[in-house]
Amino acid sequence: MLRLFSLVALLLMLAPTAHAQGGGGLGGGRKGQRLGQLENAKIAFITNRVSLTQEQAQKFWPLYNEFSARRRELNRSGRLLRRDVTDGMTDQQIRENFNQAFAMRQQELNLEKDYFDKFQKVIALRQVVQLFQAERDFTKEVIKRVAGAGAQPAINTD
């Protein structure tokens, strides 16, 4: 019961941050609201799967949010590079574009390695492993729900 209360308190504390991140620059409205709900569901899912204590959560979430923002920016830049390949490009331009995309992926790997070390300073090694697994599981669950019965705002946190 205490764990549930802590989770709810944490979600209430982080909800404005998640909503602002989800709706920022996307026109707000329903899309921003759904992204905020998805972000809140992800927070609950990870908190539950990683078994964060309240004290750990207070140190972990700001670090994780920083990590997520940096990773999201790298992914966005990589997608833009891949999208820029056109029929009018020379072979050298295509090669350079791919080299830049490979460099972005290397930066993402370096970022994960860096935060792997940073996360271990606030949560246990096994919890870090559970974090990365929980992220993959959450993504799979979202994809499954979108492909199946349509987008549903609530994700089971068990």
Side-chain angles (χ1 to χ4, degrees), residues 25-97:
L26 296 172
R30 277 188 98 180
K31 187 174 185 179
Q33 182 180 15
R34 288 196 355 220
L35 287 173
Q37 289 174 335
L38 186 63
E39 191 65 28
N40 287 339
K42 184 177 182 180
I43 290 168
F45 188 87
I46 289 173
T47 299
N48 186 43
R49 290 285 296 276
V50 178
S51 302
L52 294 173
T53 66
Q54 189 172 5
E55 182 180 321
Q56 286 176 321
Q58 288 175 346
K59 295 176 185 174
F60 169 78
W61 284 111
L63 186 62
Y64 181 81
N65 291 337
E66 177 184 298
F67 167 68
S68 292
R70 291 181 65 188
R71 183 170 58 180
R72 191 171 27 256
E73 182 57 34
L74 286 173
N75 285 330
R76 188 184 71 74
S77 298
R79 279 193 310 276
L80 292 175
L81 281 172
R82 288 188 298 276
R83 195 177 328 164
D84 286 345
V85 176
T86 63
D87 290 337
M89 294 175 81
T90 66
D91 286 354
Q92 182 59 36
Q93 289 171 321
I94 294 171
R95 186 173 292 108
E96 180 59 31
N97 185 285

Side-chain angles (χ1 to χ4, degrees), residues 110-143:
N110 292 343
L111 180 72
E112 286 187 21
K113 289 167 70 174
D114 184 35
Y115 277 84
F116 177 80
D117 292 335
K118 289 180 179 184
F119 289 143
Q120 288 180 69
K121 293 177 181 173
V122 296
I123 60 177
L125 176 60
R126 291 187 190 281
Q127 288 175 301
V128 176
V129 172
Q130 291 168 340
L131 165 66
F132 286 107
Q133 183 64 48
E135 284 187 317
R136 285 189 299 273
D137 291 347
F138 183 82
T139 301
K140 287 178 189 176
E141 182 70 24
V142 169
I143 290 169

